[in-house]
Amino acid sequence: MSKRPAGVDTDGLLHDVVVVGAGPVGSTLALALADSELDVVVLDARGPGETRRGDRSLALSHGARLILERLDVWNELAATPGAATPITRIDISQSGGFGQMQLAADEQALPALGYVVSYRALQAALDAALTRTRVALRHGVTVSSVGGTPAYAAVVPEDADAQPLLARVAAVADGTGAAIAGIARQRHDYGQVALVARVWRAMPHGGLAYERFTPAGPIALLPEGDHYGLVWTVTSDRAQSLLALADAEFLAQLAHHFGPRNGNFTRVADRRAFPLVLEFARVPAGTRTVALGNAAQTLHPVAGQGFNVGLRDAWELAEIILDTPRENLGDRAMLARYLRGRCADRTAGIAFTHGLVNVFGNDLPFLRWPRGLALTLLDTVLPAKRAFTRAMLFGLR
Ligand SMILES: Cc1cc2nc3c(=O)[nH]c(=O)nc-3n(C[C@H](O)[C@H](O)[C@H](O)COP(=O)(O)OP(=O)(O)OC[C@H]3O[C@@H](n4cnc5c(N)ncnc54)[C@H](O)[C@@H]3O)c2cc1C
């Protein structure tokens, strides 16, 4: 910890790292730094024990599990009843065209291809792990802006009575990037919404997930506890009418839309919809500042990649911070190294997700055949399938 730069009215210290946002990504970064000698402060707008996105479920890859294991978070999460449901098989298909692909955990010699994890339970496990460390976690602090100078980053709380915090590097994981100045984000609105709900079927899911591409957009069923989490891509108007339907009618529409691959829906709960956009920063770093997780890229949920890319952002940023002498933290060379290291994985995650939506999420008949062929080939050509699966599980480096 150093003395503050002269003439700056702050809380009196130059912190090594200030993390804005103790969501899953910011908390992961802080935990990965916790055993070091660094002075790390984490700020979050939510109060202690609060979760603002408690209704969300996250699709976690096997690689993400390995990160949480190394941070000593996974065991607590897995021991919480219903908090982490293994996905052992994924059935990928398209309507109106041939082609089908099955991914199976045993083909990869893994216990599961991934997990559906409760955001609330994950947040609770991360919060608990953070309180066991010497990292300073400050709840109830909403940050209004983060800016950088060549000498330090300044993190300014919304509360006018609170002093700005100075840091060698500020890592922004606020979920939107709204707090950070000087990092341009691009936005693509898919003109669709995701209708999400919990649905039950007559028989147990057995760890089988479904991803089906239809002319109207992809639809997914993810095993979660005793039910499925539904993510159904529709237009905004269609979402409004589906949300207004009685449960039985909604389930009938779902069965009709999902086709012969799945059916026997018996119950639905917690229907809601949110708009689908792709938002990303081409260069997710500025002067002494870096954006990560959803603040750096917000992806369409079609491939369940968003959270996993974010977790890898946090892990790799921590590795680089730990490998950088304290006096060089947040300098151009350190941030350039981080950007170089994350480029392939981020670009692949963004391009893959966007490509899936564009190639599979439209009704051009001439595309049905090649995309069916792609799915069939991936299923048959083992090395390609293995490469595809491993990229989904671990990302590209
Ligand atoms: C509507 C929606 C639905 C989603 N559904 C799914 C899904 O079904 N499956 C899936 O895998 N992924 C889903 N995602 C993506 C998933 O939520 C993200 O990948 C994940 O939450 C990213 O984690 P994060 O830590 O980057 O951001 P967040 O989870 O958003 O966490 C950000 C944290 O920063 C804090 N914060 C925000 N602003 C400030 C501020 N100004 N000052 C201080 N603190 C601040 C917040 O309190 C929060 O704790 C969804 C995303 C959205 C937007």
Side-chain angles (χ1 to χ4, degrees), residues 30-396:
L31 277 174
L33 298 174
D35 287 339
S36 71
E37 293 297 308
L38 297 172
D39 164 29
V40 180
V41 180
V42 186
L43 309 174
D44 200 293
R46 66 191 165 89
E50 261 181 43
T51 304
R52 298 199 170 173
R53 293 163 183 81
D55 52 352
R56 229 177 254 179
S57 298
L58 299 169
L60 213 87
S61 68
H62 180 72
R65 170 189 165 154
L66 297 181
I67 291 177
L68 295 177
E69 275 180 3
R70 290 175 74 170
L71 297 176
D72 224 4
V73 169
W74 178 256
N75 285 345
E76 180 171 337
L77 185 67
T80 309
T85 307
I87 300 172
T88 51
R89 284 172 300 146
I90 306 178
D91 179 305
I92 305 176
S93 65
Q94 64 169 330
S95 70
F98 76 93
Q100 178 202 346
M101 183 166 79
Q102 290 260 355
L103 304 178
D106 50 11
E107 281 177 9
Q108 305 295 322
L110 293 172
L113 289 165
Y115 300 83
V116 179
V117 166
S118 141
Y119 187 106
R120 184 185 297 280
L122 175 62
Q123 185 71 84
L126 288 164
D127 281 356
L130 265 180
T131 55
R132 293 191 292 267
T133 69
R134 45 184 287 281
V135 167
L137 172 57
R138 299 187 196 166
H139 284 288
V141 182
T142 301
V143 170
S144 62
S145 72
V146 179
T149 74
Y152 54 81
V155 177
V156 183
E158 203 175 70
D159 179 354
D161 294 334
Q163 301 291 348
L165 277 77
L166 301 189
R168 295 179 196 279
V169 60
V172 177
D174 65 352
T176 60
I180 196 165
I183 294 185
R185 285 162 63 90
Q186 305 202 331
R187 183 182 165 92
H188 175 81
D189 192 332
Y190 290 106
Q192 288 183 311
V193 301
L195 191 160
V196 295
R198 297 193 294 152
V199 294
W200 282 258
R201 292 176 69 203
M203 58 266 228
H205 54 63
L208 174 61
Y210 294 87
E211 177 99 53
R212 185 164 173 79
F213 294 95
T214 79
I219 179 166
L221 286 173
L222 301 174
E224 189 179 9
D226 66 345
H227 60 275
Y228 274 103
L230 167 71
V231 186
W232 186 354
T233 311
V234 284
T235 62
S236 180
D237 288 348
R238 174 109 166 100
Q240 290 317 312
S241 57
L242 286 169
L243 289 171
L245 289 178
D247 287 359
E249 243 178 294
F250 177 84
L251 292 175
Q253 291 273 339
L254 175 63
H256 174 74
H257 192 74
F258 210 79
R261 306 196 65 74
N262 205 344
N264 296 323
F265 297 109
T266 57
R267 197 179 138 208
V268 59
D270 304 332
R271 274 178 271 169
R272 64 196 165 81
F274 60 86
L276 288 169
V277 292
L278 164 68
E279 257 193 76
F280 67 100
R282 269 192 197 284
V283 183
T287 309
R288 292 205 173 260
T289 52
V290 55
L292 62 160
N294 263 31
Q297 62 275 318
T298 302
L299 307 184
H300 190 298
V302 61
Q305 290 293 292
F307 176 62
N308 299 294
V309 174
L311 220 57
R312 295 196 290 270
D313 285 348
W315 187 254
E316 292 187 25
L317 180 59
E319 281 184 332
I320 288 176
I321 287 176
L322 293 173
D323 193 42
T324 301
R326 178 175 269 166
E327 61 276 15
N328 297 119
L329 285 179
D331 70 10
R332 287 170 70 131
M334 189 207 100
L335 292 176
R337 189 176 157 204
Y338 171 74
L339 292 175
R340 269 196 311 276
R342 292 301 299 137
C343 187
D345 188 31
R346 285 187 76 236
T347 309
I350 294 166
F352 176 65
T353 303
H354 192 57
L356 268 189
V357 180
N358 284 330
V359 173
F360 288 94
N362 66 59
D363 198 20
L364 301 174
F366 66 87
L367 272 181
R368 261 188 224 151
W369 196 84
R371 71 195 176 193
L373 190 63
L375 288 179
T376 306
L377 285 180
L378 270 169
D379 195 44
T380 327
V381 184
L382 268 177
K385 182 176 172 182
R386 205 171 291 128
F388 174 81
T389 313
R390 294 205 83 76
M392 298 281 280
L393 291 172
F394 300 107
L396 291 175

